[in-house]
Amino acid sequence: MKGNIVVGQSGGPTAVINSSVAGVYTAAKKLGVEKVYGMVHGIQGFLKGELCDLGEYLYDDTKIELLKRTPSAFLGSCRYKMPKIEGNEAIYEKAFEVMDKYDIEALFYCGGNDSMDTIKMLSDYAAAHGKRQRFMGVPKTIDNDLPITDHCPGYGSAAKYIATSMKEIIRDNESFGIEKPTILIVEIMGRHAGWLTAAAALSKGDDCIGPDAIYLPEITFDMDAFMEHVKHLAATKHSVVIAVSEGIKLADGTFVCEIGHASDFVDAFGHKQLSGCAALLAHKVAEATGLKTRAVEFSTLQRSATHIASLTDINEAFQVGHDAVLAANEGKTGMMITLDRNGDEPYQCGTSAYDVHHIANVERPIPAEWITEDGRNLNEGYLKYARPLITGELMPLFVNGVPHHLVRRK
Amino acid sequence: MKGNIVVGQSGGPTAVINSSVAGVYTAAKKLGVEKVYGMVHGIQGFLKGELCDLGEYLYDDTKIELLKRTPSAFLGSCRYKMPKIEGNEAIYEKAFEVMDKYDIEALFYCGGNDSMDTIKMLSDYAAAHGKRQRFMGVPKTIDNDLPITDHCPGYGSAAKYIATSMKEIIRDNESFGIEKPTILIVEIMGRHAGWLTAAAALSKGDDCIGPDAIYLPEITFDMDAFMEHVKHLAATKHSVVIAVSEGIKLADGTFVCEIGHASDFVDAFGHKQLSGCAALLAHKVAEATGLKTRAVEFSTLQRSATHIASLTDINEAFQVGHDAVLAANEGKTGMMITLDRNGDEPYQCGTSAYDVHHIANVERPIPAEWITEDGRNLNEGYLKYARPLITGELMPLFVNGVPHHLVRRK
């Protein structure tokens, strides 16, 4: 590669999105790239010419190691979607102007569905207007809902956090219930795909029975059947733990979290802000049974708990960033790096580059064959798929008892 | 010690309450005690004769290590308060009957204020009725509100979890806010004492500014001043993070979480169930400012996240259990083991035994001199006190990517 490169981070951060930046930086330096720039707050900051020089931060290996252990988006993120090209040519020209100013030959963008759309739009514009720059997508999403790739960097760490926390609060719930059952309802992220909620099943082992039921957004939620099942569980066990996705919906399309209270917030991509469905269900169960019922929301911690990140995930996040640079160096553009699984036992995974047109704006749900027949749990197919992704640990660097992070000067 | 002993766990579990059981067991075995029994679900199960033989589980050192890494109450917990002696002699006689049946010479109870009351009542009854048994309290509470002792086992690990999670979500919040500030309100446990909420301040370091404000239950909450302060912060920074105790109250004594909705649940000790104050404040802030505002509740995870327990805390929890047995062996009864700090740098801490009559039912708030003058943060006095308590890590034993636990057969 002759020129410089730039890397950006977009959308909801993950525990390992910085490891992808470390991968991009490391590969570029191996190839002799002079300057590796970072977009400050993604494409939104980039369009305003807000860049930083990553070399000022990653000047030795310990800094790269620290970046891999730093949660959230080191460069800053954004939720900005590139507008359609027609009528917005000035915005695209501005992007290329910034690239020319910094002699940027390739642009790397870490993100999910919406971010891959940015790569598609920029590479389409470049192709249509004879621009030299290359554009590569680096997959990142705790939601694990990108198509083509076997899984998405960010998912393994979120799943490890969810499985670990689920197991710890199942343990907590089991310590009571001497006279009456105690019921715990845990709300897990995932708007349309149940990958994160499914991770609750990974708490199962010979020392833990896992949640008693897992309600995925892939399955229509039936309130009556739910109440019946909870009552049945409460009649047979002293500790009842239920995992529900924030995105569960009734047959008429209503989100459960919207029942009884308006939730009209939408984010910059037009997605509804969901939350509160565990609280609502816990309230209903308490009313119907008179039993002690608690609601827990894992919330933002699912995407930011780098202290319990999966080593497999950290390494793969690094790899997709690294390999995106190699692909761009080979002349590829308008593609995303995918993770291609070659085996489960032992787990093996490689990468390749795939046309981003088949990836942007497509969401992949959990395969129906991994959901148990009653629709309330995951089977061995899912566990075999997910277990390797949460394997391994990378100890944080603790200072004064808390993990230390690498931070950008503001 | 000639006879056997029994150990029980009571109240809300902690990340390290099992380490105290490991300490009791280890000391008893060193002293040649034949049987170490566990109360199944605390004094409530004990009164029904529900005991288990700890020797069946802790038969080698690896099992003791695994117990130290297991969250929640291995033996099961309860929220049962011994009734006043007068008129309830039959209940007390039942307790001594069970002790005689199993040749129990000393009873150890791990818990907080309410559990120390159980030790007081049983030892008072024994003294009044010439019973031979001894009764020792083993301190345990994430709330850190027991008097006399420098701090309580369980607090350090909860504080480490809170500080780490707070830092990770501050990082997450900082990644947005390119155009408008994003406001995050985090709700932390602690009914009357702000020790847990104060731990949010431990997220501060040269890589993190910590929360912008910390609202403790020790300080009367002024809604207008709060709204003014948040507006001021939002006008000056792009990421605003506020920590609030679940127990903050208005000047008229109303809990903030009770404003606008009835919360009439009380637990078995008569305490009100609090929650939802971050959600309420976030709603008010969003209404008043139009800014994106989120609420996070750390909830039960604060007391169950053994995967990030403090090694200092694990060791001290072990020590107080261990030393309670030594004290009983010396003939002491009706006492609780306290942690006595001898120095900050380097941190040094010993133990002694203290009359439980001065401990039971007394709550210790945060000293006023550790709260900043504006009432919205903690100063160096607190940080110096708390930092040693969250120091050190004990790696969980990971199996299939999640921490493995020791479990009791049901």
Side-chain angles (χ1 to χ4, degrees):
Chain A
M1 202 128 43
K2 285 174 207 152
N4 300 319
I5 68 166
V6 68
V7 56
Q9 298 173 305
S10 173
T14 76
V16 302
I17 187 171
N18 292 327
S19 191
S20 289
V21 171
V24 166
Y25 184 85
T26 303
K29 285 294 158 185
K30 277 199 276 189
L31 291 173
V33 171
E34 196 189 331
K35 290 279 188 189
V36 178
Y37 292 105
M39 302 179 188
V40 176
H41 289 295
I43 197 74
Q44 196 173 8
F46 185 74
L47 287 169
K48 296 182 199 164
E50 291 174 14
L51 279 72
C52 67
D53 179 353
L54 271 168
E56 287 179 18
Y57 297 100
L58 303 179
Y59 47 79
D60 69 29
D61 287 351
T62 63
K63 296 297 177 187
I64 288 177
E65 283 303 315
L66 195 54
L67 183 59
K68 286 160 70 176
R69 289 162 170 83
T70 297
S72 185
F74 171 78
L75 296 168
S77 188
C78 69
R79 291 196 185 277
Y80 176 85
K81 200 163 175 166
M82 288 296 278
K84 66 175 175 16
I85 294 172
E86 203 188 330
N88 294 294
E89 288 81 359
I91 294 174
Y92 287 84
E93 280 303 318
K94 175 66 189 175
F96 285 90
E97 191 186 295
V98 176
M99 285 185 249
D100 287 337
K101 179 178 169 190
Y102 290 95
D103 189 23
I104 286 166
E105 192 174 337
L107 180 151
F108 302 88
Y109 211 38
C110 309
N113 309 79
D114 291 309
S115 311
M116 292 310 127
D117 188 67
T118 296
I119 290 296
K120 175 170 78 71
M121 302 293 266
L122 287 169
S123 59
D124 284 356
Y125 189 89
H129 295 79
K131 305 284 189 185
R132 67 181 169 102
Q133 285 86 359
R134 276 158 270 164
F135 301 89
M136 288 296 299
V138 179
K140 170 272 350 174
T141 169
I142 60 167
D143 292 328
N144 203 42
D145 59 354
L146 289 170
I148 316 294
T149 187
D150 177 76
H151 57 281
C152 304
Y155 177 63
S157 295
K160 188 182 186 86
Y161 175 83
I162 290 164
T164 298
S165 300
M166 179 58 73
K167 188 167 177 175
E168 290 176 331
I169 61 175
I170 287 173
R171 206 100 284 160
D172 182 89
N173 204 59
E174 284 174 347
S175 69
F176 289 105
I178 175 168
E179 287 188 325
K180 289 180 183 177
T182 55
I183 298 171
L184 176 64
I185 301 177
V186 182
E187 179 167 334
I188 300 176
M189 279 182 169
R191 205 170 267 116
H192 300 303
W195 293 103
L196 289 170
T197 307
L202 295 165
S203 60
K204 273 195 280 194
D206 61 17
D207 58 338
C208 183
I209 58 160
D212 297 293
I214 298 176
Y215 289 90
L216 303 168
E218 281 84 353
I219 307 285
T220 300
F221 188 80
D222 179 330
M223 189 67 80
D224 294 335
F226 167 80
M227 294 298 287
E228 275 317 299
H229 188 55
V230 173
K231 281 182 201 166
H232 165 72
L233 288 166
T236 51
K237 327 176 58 233
H238 77 295
S239 166
V240 176
V241 179
I242 312 277
V244 297
S245 162
E246 62 176 354
I248 49 172
K249 274 194 246 189
L250 303 180
D252 67 3
T254 314
F255 282 110
V256 170
C257 61
E258 291 177 323
I259 303 172
H261 71 100
S263 169
D264 297 330
F265 293 110
V266 291
D267 71 16
F269 291 134
H271 303 141
K272 279 203 176 179
Q273 291 290 298
L274 308 179
S275 82
C277 97
L280 180 130
L281 293 174
H283 187 72
K284 277 185 178 286
V285 168
E287 270 189 340
T289 65
L291 296 172
K292 179 156 183 177
T293 309
R294 282 178 304 143
V296 167
E297 274 185 51
F298 283 164
S299 74
T300 319
L301 294 164
Q302 290 163 85
R303 69 185 188 202
S304 52
T306 302
H307 76 269
I308 183 130
S310 150
L311 180 60
T312 301
D313 193 27
I314 290 175
N315 287 340
E316 291 182 343
F318 186 93
Q319 192 75 36
V320 293
H322 180 278
D323 292 1
V325 173
L326 301 193
N329 189 51
E330 292 165 5
K332 294 196 172 98
T333 185
M335 306 187 99
M336 185 190 85
I337 299 298
T338 59
L339 287 163
D340 311 324
R341 185 184 302 228
N342 302 315
D344 282 322
E345 294 172 36
Y347 171 72
Q348 291 181 306
C349 196
T351 68
S352 53
Y354 204 94
D355 184 349
V356 81
H357 288 82
H358 300 298
I359 294 172
N361 306 311
V362 179
E363 280 176 344
R364 181 183 59 146
I366 297 188
E369 67 266 27
W370 289 352
I371 302 173
T372 55
E373 229 168 283
D374 61 14
R376 289 194 300 253
N377 221 321
L378 284 300
N379 63 28
E380 191 59 28
Y382 169 75
L383 297 175
K384 207 166 150 184
Y385 164 83
R387 275 201 192 108
L389 314 183
I390 66 166
T391 298
E393 295 76 42
L394 189 64
M395 194 75 167
L397 172 66
F398 283 92
V399 175
N400 284 325
V402 290
H404 201 70
H405 302 149
L406 188 72
V407 286
R408 196 164 40 81
R409 291 180 295 276
K410 296 287 152 49
Chain B
M1 205 128 41
K2 285 175 206 155
N4 300 320
I5 68 166
V6 67
V7 55
Q9 298 172 306
S10 172
T14 76
V16 302
I17 186 172
N18 291 327
S19 192
S20 288
V21 171
V24 166
Y25 184 84
T26 303
K29 285 294 157 185
K30 277 200 279 191
L31 290 174
V33 171
E34 196 189 330
K35 291 278 188 191
V36 179
Y37 292 106
M39 302 180 188
V40 176
H41 289 293
I43 197 74
Q44 196 174 8
F46 185 74
L47 287 169
K48 296 182 200 165
E50 291 174 14
L51 278 71
C52 68
D53 179 352
L54 270 168
E56 288 179 17
Y57 298 100
L58 304 179
Y59 47 80
D60 68 29
D61 286 350
T62 65
K63 297 297 177 187
I64 289 176
E65 283 303 315
L66 194 54
L67 183 61
K68 286 160 68 176
R69 288 163 171 82
T70 298
S72 184
F74 172 79
L75 296 168
S77 188
C78 69
R79 290 195 184 280
Y80 177 85
K81 200 161 176 167
M82 288 296 277
K84 66 174 175 17
I85 294 172
E86 202 188 332
N88 294 294
E89 287 82 358
I91 294 174
Y92 287 84
E93 279 303 318
K94 174 67 189 175
F96 285 90
E97 190 185 296
V98 176
M99 285 183 250
D100 287 337
K101 180 176 170 191
Y102 291 93
D103 188 23
I104 286 165
E105 192 173 336
L107 180 151
F108 302 88
Y109 211 39
C110 309
N113 308 78
D114 291 309
S115 311
M116 293 310 127
D117 188 67
T118 296
I119 289 296
K120 174 171 78 73
M121 301 294 266
L122 287 169
S123 59
D124 284 355
Y125 190 90
H129 295 79
K131 305 284 188 183
R132 66 181 170 104
Q133 284 86 359
R134 274 157 272 164
F135 301 89
M136 288 296 299
V138 179
K140 170 270 353 171
T141 170
I142 60 167
D143 291 328
N144 203 41
D145 59 355
L146 289 170
I148 314 295
T149 186
D150 177 76
H151 56 280
C152 305
Y155 177 63
S157 295
K160 189 182 184 84
Y161 175 83
I162 290 164
T164 298
S165 300
M166 178 59 71
K167 189 166 176 176
E168 289 177 331
I169 60 174
I170 288 174
R171 206 98 285 161
D172 183 90
N173 204 60
E174 284 174 347
S175 69
F176 290 106
I178 175 168
E179 287 186 326
K180 288 180 183 174
T182 55
I183 298 171
L184 176 65
I185 300 177
V186 182
E187 179 168 334
I188 300 176
M189 279 180 168
R191 206 170 269 118
H192 300 303
W195 293 103
L196 289 170
T197 307
L202 295 165
S203 60
K204 272 195 280 193
D206 61 18
D207 59 338
C208 184
I209 58 160
D212 298 293
I214 298 176
Y215 289 90
L216 305 167
E218 280 84 355
I219 306 285
T220 301
F221 188 80
D222 178 330
M223 188 66 80
D224 294 335
F226 167 80
M227 294 299 285
E228 276 315 300
H229 189 55
V230 172
K231 282 181 202 166
H232 165 74
L233 288 167
T236 51
K237 5 192 2 254
H238 78 297
S239 166
V240 176
V241 179
I242 312 278
V244 297
S245 163
E246 62 177 355
I248 49 171
K249 275 196 243 186
L250 304 180
D252 67 3
T254 313
F255 283 111
V256 170
C257 61
E258 290 177 324
I259 302 173
H261 73 99
S263 172
D264 297 331
F265 293 110
V266 290
D267 71 15
F269 289 134
H271 303 140
K272 278 203 177 182
Q273 291 288 298
L274 307 179
S275 83
C277 98
L280 181 131
L281 293 174
H283 187 73
K284 278 185 177 286
V285 169
E287 269 189 342
T289 64
L291 296 172
K292 181 158 182 175
T293 309
R294 284 178 301 142
V296 167
E297 273 184 51
F298 283 163
S299 74
T300 319
L301 293 164
Q302 292 163 84
R303 69 184 189 203
S304 53
T306 303
H307 75 270
I308 183 130
S310 151
L311 179 60
T312 301
D313 193 26
I314 290 175
N315 287 341
E316 290 181 344
F318 186 94
Q319 193 74 38
V320 292
H322 180 278
D323 293 0
V325 173
L326 301 193
N329 189 52
E330 290 167 6
K332 296 198 171 93
T333 185
M335 306 188 99
M336 184 188 86
I337 299 298
T338 59
L339 287 163
D340 311 323
R341 186 183 302 228
N342 303 315
D344 283 322
E345 294 172 34
Y347 171 71
Q348 292 181 305
C349 196
T351 68
S352 54
Y354 204 92
D355 184 350
V356 80
H357 287 83
H358 301 297
I359 294 172
N361 306 312
V362 179
E363 281 176 344
R364 182 183 58 147
I366 297 188
E369 65 268 27
W370 289 352
I371 302 173
T372 55
E373 228 167 283
D374 62 14
R376 291 193 299 252
N377 221 320
L378 284 299
N379 63 28
E380 193 57 31
Y382 168 75
L383 296 174
K384 207 166 149 186
Y385 165 81
R387 275 203 191 107
L389 313 183
I390 67 166
T391 298
E393 294 76 40
L394 189 63
M395 194 75 167
L397 173 65
F398 284 93
V399 175
N400 283 325
V402 290
H404 202 69
H405 301 149
L406 189 71
V407 287
R408 197 165 39 81
R409 291 180 296 275
K410 299 283 153 47

